[in-house]
Amino acid sequence: MKRYCLTLDLKDDPALISEYEEYHKEIWPEIRASITTSGIVDMEIYRFSNRLYMIMEVNDEFSFEKKGAMDAGNGRVQEWETLMWKYQQAVPGAKAGEKWVLMDKIFELNK
């Protein structure tokens, strides 16, 4: 299995951050299905202040291109992404329109 780590910022507003966390206590069933059918085996999101870190473990069938194409054709996923953008903002250095940004691994203890 392969692991990816991504980052994204939330808007620095306690009320919006609270709402965002509420949505993630029980994500929509269609969002869960889009995650698991794309080859993502496990996903965790951590928050410090308004910075988010996502850790994804994926199987051999997963690719960001395949996931992007699946999401683009799924109206419910697009609705979720539009709603989530109310709470999110790009991290410094992200490309225009880029939300979650892939992080580079710089250290591994057991390698």
Side-chain angles (χ1 to χ4, degrees), residues 27-39:
I27 61 173
W28 299 348
E30 300 90 345
I31 302 309
R32 180 177 301 280
S34 78
I35 291 169
T36 58
T37 59
S38 70

Side-chain angles (χ1 to χ4, degrees), residues 5 103-109 111:
C5 297
M103 300 173 72
D104 295 325
K105 179 169 51 171
I106 63 166
F107 173 79
E108 184 173 346
L109 180 62
K111 186 73 175 180

Side-chain angles (χ1 to χ4, degrees), residues 21-109:
E21 288 185 351
E22 282 299 314
Y23 273 108
H24 284 80
K25 286 182 180 176
E26 190 170 331
I27 61 173
W28 299 348
E30 300 90 345
I31 302 309
R32 180 177 301 280
S34 78
I35 291 169
T36 58
T37 59
S38 70
I40 298 171
V41 176
D42 196 17
M43 176 186 285
E44 297 176 335
I45 299 175
Y46 295 84
R47 180 179 69 81
F48 174 76
S49 186
N50 69 317
R51 175 95 8 120
L52 299 177
Y53 297 97
M54 177 193 297
I55 301 169
M56 297 183 343
E57 292 187 357
V58 303
N59 63 26
D60 292 338
E61 283 75 53
F62 176 83
S63 76
F64 286 102
E65 295 79 15
K66 177 179 140 187
K67 175 78 169 110
M70 289 173 61
D71 289 351
N74 184 324
R76 192 69 165 151
V77 170
Q78 293 306 307
E79 182 182 349
W80 174 267
E81 290 300 329
T82 299
L83 175 61
M84 292 301 106
W85 197 239
K86 169 184 175 183
Y87 307 100
Q88 301 167 334
Q89 61 186 8
V91 294
K95 297 174 187 151
E98 191 172 38
K99 290 176 83 170
W100 287 97
V101 177
L102 191 60
M103 300 173 72
D104 295 325
K105 179 169 51 171
I106 63 166
F107 173 79
E108 184 173 346
L109 180 62

